[in-house]
Amino acid sequence: MSHSTGTPVGPVIAADVEQAVRLAVSTLRSAVAADWSVPAGSLEWDCWETAEHLADDHFAYAAQLSPDVPPVDTHVPFRWTQARPGGPGNAFFADRAAGPAGLLGLLEASGGILAAVVRTASPDKRAYHVFGVSDPEGFAAMGVVETLVHTHDIAEGLGLAFTPPEDLCGRVLARLFPDAPDGPDRWSALLWCTGRTELPGRPRLTKWRWYGAPR
């Protein structure tokens, strides 16, 4: 699969998850002294909740893919709870006493767990996701998208700059967003596909999804 740049787009792998998490942590670490109770970009969650949700996503994806025969019709049965009405539904929450630096440590740990599971899972494995039963590559791509987009949200809330590599954005677009707009700017395309921005001739999406079905 390729885009209009003519560059072939390779598979999404565990190293991509690790790269995305490293970028997120290195970007957000510069703001550990900031107020993380401010809204995360355009989300209804604050920056702390968004980072906590991101770590929880990584852990949940890893858990979904981990069993010898993963479920293909439902989630692994964690007890999902909300810390407050309107907050994200998580299987776990960070220790507030550890502050933003501790929260980033949790994010790094959960991203490492997802990368390890993706790296060791058989390519033939299939597991349930609400956007379609997927394979290890699909869950890796989901983890990367969650990481890049939510880091964007948090960075926007904290006043930080964040622009991930174009090749990384291109790989996850090719894997999960078959209708992504062509063009050289893959980061803007990913933000458009996830309802974060508008593009010329393309209004901002109010509903969006990815397609996790194996290639």
Side-chain angles (χ1 to χ4, degrees):
M1 186 180 296
S2 65
H3 291 289
S4 59
T5 55
T7 305
V9 179
V12 183
I13 59 175
D16 293 325
V17 177
E18 293 166 335
Q19 180 187 15
V21 172
R22 277 197 307 272
L23 290 168
V25 171
S26 63
T27 297
L28 301 177
R29 191 174 277 143
S30 64
V32 292
D35 177 8
W36 285 50
S37 68
V38 298
S42 59
L43 303 186
E44 296 178 358
W45 303 334
D46 66 29
C47 291
W48 179 284
E49 290 172 326
T50 304
E52 201 169 49
H53 161 79
L54 173 55
D56 190 82
D57 276 338
H58 291 156
F59 176 72
Y61 291 164
Q64 198 68 21
L65 199 58
S66 289
D68 281 344
V69 182
V72 292
D73 56 353
T74 189
H75 293 108
V76 171
F78 291 107
R79 186 172 72 88
W80 305 94
T81 56
Q82 293 172 296
R84 65 169 182 88
N90 290 357
F92 68 75
F93 298 87
D95 181 1
R96 291 267 178 174
L103 178 58
L104 292 179
L106 181 67
L107 175 57
E108 203 167 10
S110 63
I113 292 169
L114 176 58
V117 171
V118 167
R119 184 169 279 122
T120 56
S122 165
D124 298 330
K125 266 196 177 183
R126 301 291 182 267
Y128 176 80
H129 187 277
V130 67
F131 287 161
V133 171
S134 197
D135 59 355
E137 187 201 7
F139 278 93
M142 294 176 212
V144 172
V145 170
E146 298 275 13
T147 304
L148 299 184
V149 170
H150 284 316
T151 301
H152 161 81
D153 297 329
I154 300 165
E156 197 170 56
L158 298 176
L160 303 173
F162 178 67
T163 305
E166 289 290 306
D167 62 332
L168 182 59
C169 297
R171 286 195 292 280
V172 295
L173 282 168
R175 179 60 183 80
L176 296 177
F177 296 96
D179 297 325
D182 280 333
D185 185 352
R186 308 319 294 148
W187 175 225
S188 292
L190 182 58
L191 290 176
W192 180 82
C193 286
T194 53
R196 263 66 179 186
T197 191
E198 61 183 31
L199 292 176
R202 295 176 182 266
R204 183 171 176 168
L205 298 176
T206 56
K207 291 183 179 180
W208 62 272
R209 59 161 292 176
W210 60 58
Y211 294 86
R215 293 182 194 260

